[in-house]
Amino acid sequence: MLGKYTYLQAALVVFGAIFCLVYPLALVWPAGWMWHEGPPLSNHYYAMILGVYFTLGVLLMLAARNPAEHRSLIRFTIWSSVVHALIMAVQAYGDPMHSGHLLGDVPALLLVAVVLWWLTRGAENPAFAG
């Protein structure tokens, strides 16, 4: 049976890869992954978000080598994902044109936060206790 630490390492690689793939996700399902009309890179703000998430994705994959050394990065990922998802949910709920986000990036970010929180909590993973 795999230990919780191994699952954490796998989650960091999977979520890191997904963060690196936000651009292709936007091409496949724009209503769930983009907030503007037109091609993904036609919006300066969206291009910046792609750069930030790509960088975070690479760093999460690198953190999988030794997650205990990268606790602050993992905690940042958890909390920034919650905050980002909540802001997007309020905005999507208030603008029916963006309701696809309630099925796309909002639950995706909450899933990232919940899974990483679950895998980094408690005595089963002493490197993350406290």
Side-chain angles (χ1 to χ4, degrees), residues 30-98:
W33 297 94
M34 278 194 323
W35 287 82
H36 65 282
E37 296 293 323
L41 294 179
S42 67
N43 181 282
H44 297 301
Y45 170 77
Y46 193 73
M48 178 196 62
I49 287 296
L50 289 175
V52 169
Y53 273 103
F54 186 86
T55 303
L56 179 59
V58 170
L59 292 174
L60 288 175
M61 289 187 285
L62 292 173
R65 295 177 186 167
N66 188 346
E69 287 185 4
H70 302 282
R71 285 181 291 213
S72 60
L73 175 67
I74 296 167
R75 287 183 178 136
F76 169 79
T77 303
I78 293 167
W79 287 107
S80 66
S81 295
V82 169
V83 169
H84 193 164
L86 292 176
I87 291 169
M88 286 194 307
V90 168
Q91 292 174 341
Y93 185 74
D95 185 348
M97 186 174 99
H98 292 295

Side-chain angles (χ1 to χ4, degrees), residues 1 3 5-7 27-29 32 39 49-50 76 82 106 112 123 126 128:
M1 174 136 175
Y5 203 72
T6 304
Y7 287 126
L27 294 174
V28 174
W29 186 24
I49 287 296
L50 289 175
F76 169 79
V82 169
V106 170
V112 168
F128 287 91

